[in-house]
Amino acid sequence: MKFGTKAIHAGVQPDPSTGAVMTPIFQTSTYAQEAPGVHKGYEYSRTHNPTRDALQKNLAALENGKYGFVFSSGLAATDTLMRTLKPGDEVIVTNDLYGGTYRLFRRVHEIYGLKFHFINMENVADIEAYINENTRMLWVETPTNPLMKIIDIAGVARIAKKYGLLLTVDNTFASPYLQNPLDLGADIVMHSVTKYLGGHSDVVMGALVTSHDDLAEQLAFLQNAVGAVPGPMDCFLVLRGIKTLHLRMRQHCENGRVIAEWLEQHPAVGKVYYPGFETHPNHHVARKQMKDFGGMVSFTFKEDNIDLAKAFMSNLQVFTLAESLGGVESLCCHPATMTHASIPKEEREKTGLRDTLIRLSVGVEDVEDLIADLSQAIEKAFQMASK
């Protein structure tokens, strides 16, 4: 099946008891057994739930994987994956990444003996210098958050295979519609399902997808043993959101392109971070591994003034100033004080993340209204700054 058909049908069957076309919300914690240990495949909803099972099969299909696992958040998914490692193991990580991932690695898992190296992976050849006998995993986020760097997944996969390492790709910014890391050689795909997969800013969830049998067995054990699972209502909402993923992503991409081009031409704007520009350092990689360039755009003003940036964000009317991304509505985020505040300032600035950077999650509204909103907010910001 092609992507749109998979989004609607994969993992989903009419309910056998009623014929319901939509997967029911199995809002139950436990299941009746005919005799001790004799049941219909379900015992307790932390372990298995029919609504969750349908979503996991759907996500596996969208990423062209064999096994899908969903969790109560993207960080819960990441935390579960890190539990497959042991004290002394090392992970090489993209240095421009979601602040919550950095915090989890540095302030939680390093305490228990894992070691993380945060490096620039735009040139994949640089990775090998950090690999040693303790390295077990490479962690890639592409496009990166929030500087929109592009990392060659196939190139990193070749290095991972050469040294017998696991390659995990955080595919949140791209979604399975734009990019399928398993097809490019990755071993594991991670998603903050909260974002494009859910698509409506009403669910917090994470997911892991793999085709490795042994790893899947470990993840299934940990999912049950640790218990950071989502409820059936959230699984239902994500199943519903995924049915329009292909339609939404087309509009996100189109609007994102128009907004990026408009910003680039604006006389007050300094730099625009968008992988769809031919001037982007790894634009050729993005063209090779992505179907389109997504709806995420970051930028700075020519005047490197934090008060100006804050005034702009405070005067938006259609864009909402809020954390998160990937919903149908357009959002504006200030990474330094919001999504990346947990990364020390000096570490942020090493990667190029300045306090004046603004990140846009471009929604699916009429793009003319979005441009008008950006325009009036810029005008008001400069009026306020001149007083």
Side-chain angles (χ1 to χ4, degrees):
M1 291 188 288
K2 294 190 179 297
F3 189 90
T5 309
K6 284 198 292 186
I8 294 169
H9 293 289
V12 177
Q13 299 292 333
D15 178 53
S17 63
T18 65
V21 172
M22 299 300 294
T23 303
I25 303 167
F26 285 89
Q27 195 72 51
T28 184
S29 61
T30 191
Y31 304 82
Q33 302 191 19
E34 299 173 25
V38 180
H39 50 75
K40 295 182 172 68
Y42 296 94
E43 304 166 79
Y44 189 63
S45 277
R46 186 190 67 249
T47 310
H48 297 290
N49 177 280
T51 315
R52 192 172 88 218
D53 286 352
L55 174 59
Q56 292 179 153
K57 292 174 184 176
N58 182 268
L59 289 172
L62 294 184
E63 283 289 9
N64 300 324
K66 289 174 64 178
Y67 308 100
F69 303 90
V70 291
F71 302 85
S72 54
S73 69
L75 286 174
T78 302
D79 176 71
T80 302
L81 181 59
M82 290 302 109
R83 292 171 188 268
T84 65
L85 304 177
K86 63 182 186 301
D89 288 348
E90 299 186 11
V91 183
I92 300 174
V93 186
T94 307
N95 65 351
D96 180 40
L97 78 167
Y98 169 51
T101 307
Y102 178 95
R103 179 180 57 219
L104 177 66
F105 289 170
R106 279 283 196 228
R107 299 182 62 183
V108 178
H109 285 286
E110 279 198 341
I111 293 173
Y112 295 102
L114 297 184
K115 185 175 181 180
F116 299 89
H117 302 276
F118 295 87
I119 69 168
N120 186 345
M121 294 186 179
E122 289 176 288
N123 181 359
V124 297
D126 295 340
I127 297 172
E128 292 192 71
Y130 294 86
I131 296 173
N132 60 49
E133 61 183 8
N134 297 318
T135 308
R136 296 291 178 268
M137 182 182 292
L138 306 178
W139 181 281
V140 167
E141 187 178 291
T142 181
T144 65
N145 181 4
L147 295 175
M148 306 303 297
K149 296 177 182 178
I150 297 296
I151 298 166
D152 184 349
I153 297 172
V156 180
R158 286 191 290 271
I159 294 172
K161 298 295 185 292
K162 177 180 177 181
Y163 291 95
L165 309 176
L166 287 172
L167 170 58
T168 301
V169 176
D170 182 339
N171 202 27
T172 298
F173 265 32
S175 88
Y177 178 75
L178 297 181
Q179 183 172 272
N180 295 120
L182 297 184
D183 292 349
L184 298 170
D187 300 290
I188 308 142
V189 177
M190 196 286 292
H191 280 283
S192 175
V193 178
T194 309
K195 313 307 193 294
Y196 285 110
L197 286 164
H200 293 78
S201 301
D202 54 7
V203 173
V204 174
M205 191 184 295
L208 298 171
V209 177
T210 186
S211 291
H212 286 238
D213 297 341
D214 292 344
L215 180 60
E217 186 176 349
Q218 279 185 286
L219 293 174
F221 168 79
L222 289 167
Q223 185 189 47
N224 180 52
V226 178
V229 295
M233 180 66 186
D234 285 350
C235 294
F236 171 86
L237 289 172
V238 173
L239 276 169
R240 184 175 67 169
I242 285 174
K243 290 181 186 297
T244 59
L245 177 63
H246 56 304
L247 305 176
R248 289 185 284 107
M249 290 307 299
R250 290 171 195 163
Q251 196 61 49
H252 282 298
C253 292
E254 173 62 19
N255 284 359
R257 178 187 61 78
V258 173
I259 294 295
E261 291 174 351
W262 182 85
L263 285 169
E264 188 182 40
Q265 297 300 317
H266 197 286
V269 173
K271 185 171 183 178
V272 181
Y273 300 81
Y274 175 66
F277 291 153
E278 291 186 4
T279 54
H280 185 284
N282 270 357
H283 172 73
H284 64 289
V285 177
R287 287 185 63 88
K288 179 178 65 175
Q289 69 187 21
M290 299 176 70
K291 184 183 295 185
D292 205 330
F293 304 108
M296 300 300 299
V297 181
S298 296
F299 74 98
T300 57
F301 289 113
K302 287 179 180 176
E303 187 176 332
D304 190 31
N305 183 326
I306 187 60
D307 292 330
L308 177 65
K310 288 181 177 179
F312 163 77
M313 290 182 277
S314 297
N315 278 290
L316 291 167
Q317 296 175 357
V318 180
F319 280 82
T320 301
L321 181 60
E323 297 196 15
S324 200
L325 59 105
V328 291
E329 67 290 315
S330 292
L331 300 178
C332 176
C333 170
H334 182 230
T337 59
M338 298 166 75
T339 53
H340 292 67
S342 57
I343 302 177
K345 180 181 175 68
E346 59 273 17
E347 292 298 318
R348 295 198 305 265
E349 291 186 344
K350 283 180 186 177
T351 67
L353 172 49
R354 303 180 64 82
D355 286 353
T356 49
L357 185 85
I358 298 163
R359 190 191 76 185
L360 302 178
S361 172
V362 182
V364 300
E365 303 95 336
D366 290 303
V367 74
E368 295 83 0
D369 293 326
L370 297 178
I371 289 174
D373 189 37
L374 295 173
S375 181
Q376 66 83 24
I378 292 174
E379 183 178 352
K380 287 181 180 177
F382 275 89
Q383 289 173 353
M384 292 170 66
S386 65
K387 291 181 179 179

